[in-house]
Amino acid sequence: MSSTAIVVGAGNAGAELALQLREQGWSGDIVLYGEESRLPYHRPPLSKTFMAGALAADQLAIRPQAAYDRAQVRLVPGAHVQAIDPAAHRITLADGAVAEYAVLALTTGARPRRLALPGLDPQRPGNNLHVLRTLDDAQAIRARCQPGSRLVVVGAGYIGLELAASATALGARVTVLEALPRVLARVTGIEFAAFIEQTHRAAGVDLRLGIRLERAECAADGSVCALVCADGSRIECDLVVAGIGVEPNVELARDAGLAIDNGIVVDELARTSATDVVAAGDCTNHPSALYGRNIRLESVPNALEQARTAAATLAGKARPYRQVPWFWSDQFDLKTKSVGLLTGHDHTVLRGDPSTRSFAVFYLQGERILAVDTVNNSPDFLAAKRIVAEDIRIPAAVLGDPTQALKDHLPAPRAAGG
Ligand SMILES: Cc1cc2nc3c(=O)[nH]c(=O)nc-3n(C[C@H](O)[C@H](O)[C@H](O)COP(=O)(O)OP(=O)(O)OC[C@H]3O[C@@H](n4cnc5c(N)ncnc54)[C@H](O)[C@@H]3O)c2cc1C
């Protein structure tokens, strides 16, 4: 019987899982298959420092090749896994090769939704309509973001806004079109969104909210010349980037009969419904003890922590995944960090003055703090992580008073394992 561990998908979760598995004592072979043609790399800079020109492509690798060599992890780039067969403990690659495994990890991530509009011909895509997920996507966008070039970003989520900020810094003329009445509507509250909107507008971004796109006008070669909105406005463009969310890559798992529900369903040990198969990262839907329901997250901290849990499970150790969700973003001079999920808050407490460009917003349900957004404010973020994770109650008068350090109101950290 095989003693090989196979990891499918060489992103943040896959790289961490493979290396951690060795660290956790797996003595058999470890093979990491990734369909992209490079070393696993960091995606967050693609819309931030890489897009703004402050970081080069060769600085994006998560680990150098030597780290995989040292851990005796065989990294196979450019290898698309076509099918998995959990009953036979076998995978099939796109070139027809078959490999057997003792244990399998699925870390297939997510892919961006594509813009579908009358006027766009999926059979004849132009070369100026992009999504932003891979280094190839980022390089193609950056090459077209010249001073004066007209960029339209569809979708005011984090990726769209970060791209808008970086492209503005490069001198592009940026329009952001959002269907909802505010930015970041899925993930944050009104005060924080309003502050981000003001920041973009002050920097010259043409931010249009509540916009319904009606059609695209394309040139003979399929490239987009303009987007036309339901209100009659027409925005001419040199480049369009759709930042309208992602879908988890679940096809391998689904075709093999694994349980799927907005992601590959896993338990708190990252086990899927198939024997000897774990999953981690953007592709999974996992139980959250904190929120009492299953959630699917799209963030590096989630990918890393869940990968560590999955590696421990495969190595025969139980390390339940119970991390509080958190996320960061960089836009212009703002470093924002958010913790928790906005689910059913009934009021907010503002801490600090947004005009100082350093503040926090607390989202509460009764006295329980469900989530916190912080701007240029690491001390409050660190405190907020514990507050949300441990359901620590702090009076609103303290939350709203930035002269009172939050850390002074936290109980002593719980002993490990307690
Ligand atoms: C532009 C951008 C900015 C971001 N900024 C932030 C940020 O500031 N903070 C944050 O926390 N998160 C951010 N994210 C999200 C973060 O990058 C993801 O949550 C994280 O990369 C998820 O890691 P993953 O390993 O689960 O998936 P991925 O990174 O998507 O990796 C999955 C890999 O599996 C490969 N794969 C899929 N199917 C197969 C197959 N059948 N065979 C072989 N290989 C396969 C894919 O090609 C991919 O390389 C950002 C993402 C983007 C795109």
Side-chain angles (χ1 to χ4, degrees), residues 8-15 33-36 41-48 79-82 107-111 132-134 158-159 162 249 252 280-283 297-303 326-330:
V8 180
N12 262 120
Y33 292 103
E35 65 191 2
E36 294 188 68
Y41 58 91
H42 294 287
R43 293 187 201 282
L46 298 181
S47 48
K48 308 177 182 76
H80 175 77
V81 175
Q82 192 82 44
T107 49
T108 46
R111 61 177 177 275
L132 178 49
R133 181 78 188 178
T134 65
Y158 274 117
I159 289 177
E162 289 175 356
N249 291 323
L252 275 185
D282 280 15
C283 66
L297 299 174
E298 296 156 13
S299 77
V300 170
N302 171 65
W326 72 272
F327 193 84
W328 81 91
S329 176
D330 301 340

Side-chain angles (χ1 to χ4, degrees), residues 319-340:
R319 181 190 186 278
Y321 177 65
R322 291 197 189 120
Q323 300 295 316
V324 60
W326 72 272
F327 193 84
W328 81 91
S329 176
D330 301 340
Q331 297 165 50
F332 301 109
D333 63 329
L334 308 179
K335 292 205 174 300
T336 73
K337 289 184 189 162
S338 303
V339 58

Side-chain angles (χ1 to χ4, degrees), residues 33-396:
Y33 292 103
E35 65 191 2
E36 294 188 68
S37 59
R38 44 187 107 239
L39 284 172
Y41 58 91
H42 294 287
R43 293 187 201 282
L46 298 181
S47 48
K48 308 177 182 76
T49 41
F50 176 80
M51 188 57 65
L55 202 69
D58 58 9
Q59 294 174 290
L60 292 174
I62 294 171
R63 302 281 172 86
Q65 177 65 49
Y68 302 95
D69 295 344
R70 258 196 316 275
Q72 291 181 296
V73 167
R74 187 159 73 85
L75 173 61
V76 190
H80 175 77
V81 175
Q82 192 82 44
I84 61 171
D85 181 345
H89 281 54
R90 231 179 359 229
I91 67 158
T92 305
L93 291 148
D95 64 5
V98 169
E100 298 202 336
Y101 65 78
V103 292
L104 175 68
L106 299 174
T107 49
T108 46
R111 61 177 177 275
R113 289 198 193 99
R114 302 273 161 177
L115 192 62
L117 271 183
L120 291 176
D121 181 356
Q123 305 305 321
R124 202 172 43 98
N127 60 2
N128 71 342
L129 174 58
H130 295 275
V131 291
L132 178 49
R133 181 78 188 178
T134 65
L135 179 52
D136 290 347
D137 295 333
Q139 282 172 323
I141 295 167
R142 200 171 103 177
R144 283 179 168 267
C145 272
Q146 307 294 335
S149 58
R150 298 162 304 174
L151 164 66
V152 176
V153 178
V154 180
Y158 274 117
I159 289 177
L161 291 172
E162 289 175 356
L163 171 62
S166 301
T168 301
L170 289 173
R173 284 153 53 197
V174 183
T175 304
V176 178
L177 303 178
E178 168 58 51
L180 295 170
R182 62 185 163 93
V183 302
L184 300 171
R186 248 180 358 116
V187 289
T188 191
I190 294 166
E191 296 93 336
F192 184 75
F195 176 77
I196 299 286
E197 287 166 23
Q198 274 167 18
T199 299
H200 277 261
R201 290 198 166 113
V205 175
D206 180 359
L207 177 60
R208 304 189 194 186
L209 305 171
I211 288 291
R212 192 157 63 79
L213 278 175
E214 208 162 66
R215 63 191 161 84
E217 291 177 4
C218 294
D221 67 355
S223 60
V224 185
C225 313
L227 293 177
V228 181
C229 307
D231 64 4
S233 54
R234 180 176 174 279
I235 303 129
E236 294 189 353
C237 53
D238 301 307
L239 173 65
V240 179
V241 180
I244 51 176
V246 297
E247 284 169 14
N249 291 323
V250 298
E251 288 71 13
L252 275 185
R254 189 195 57 209
D255 294 350
L258 274 61
I260 306 292
D261 179 12
N262 179 30
I264 303 170
V265 177
V266 294
D267 65 13
E268 65 173 3
L269 296 178
R271 294 178 300 199
T272 69
S273 59
T275 310
D276 297 328
V277 185
V278 295
D282 280 15
C283 66
T284 69
N285 189 342
H286 67 271
S288 163
L290 191 62
Y291 294 100
R293 63 185 170 91
N294 266 43
I295 56 178
R296 190 176 69 75
L297 299 174
E298 296 156 13
S299 77
V300 170
N302 171 65
L304 294 178
E305 281 300 327
Q306 213 180 19
R308 288 167 195 149
T309 287
T313 297
L314 295 182
K317 302 168 188 170
R319 181 190 186 278
Y321 177 65
R322 291 197 189 120
Q323 300 295 316
V324 60
W326 72 272
F327 193 84
W328 81 91
S329 176
D330 301 340
Q331 297 165 50
F332 301 109
D333 63 329
L334 308 179
K335 292 205 174 300
T336 73
K337 289 184 189 162
S338 303
V339 58
L341 299 179
L342 245 67
T343 48
H345 69 284
D346 49 36
H347 66 290
T348 59
V349 175
L350 178 64
R351 178 174 170 82
D353 176 358
S355 71
T356 65
R357 307 189 78 66
S358 171
F359 66 99
V361 185
F362 290 77
Y363 303 91
L364 294 94
Q365 190 176 55
E367 290 181 354
R368 181 174 173 203
I369 299 167
L370 295 174
V372 186
D373 285 324
T374 66
V375 177
N376 295 333
N377 187 344
S378 286
D380 280 356
F381 170 72
L382 289 176
K385 252 178 109 178
R386 275 199 63 201
I387 290 171
V388 175
E390 297 170 32
D391 189 11
I392 298 169
R393 313 278 163 120
I394 296 186

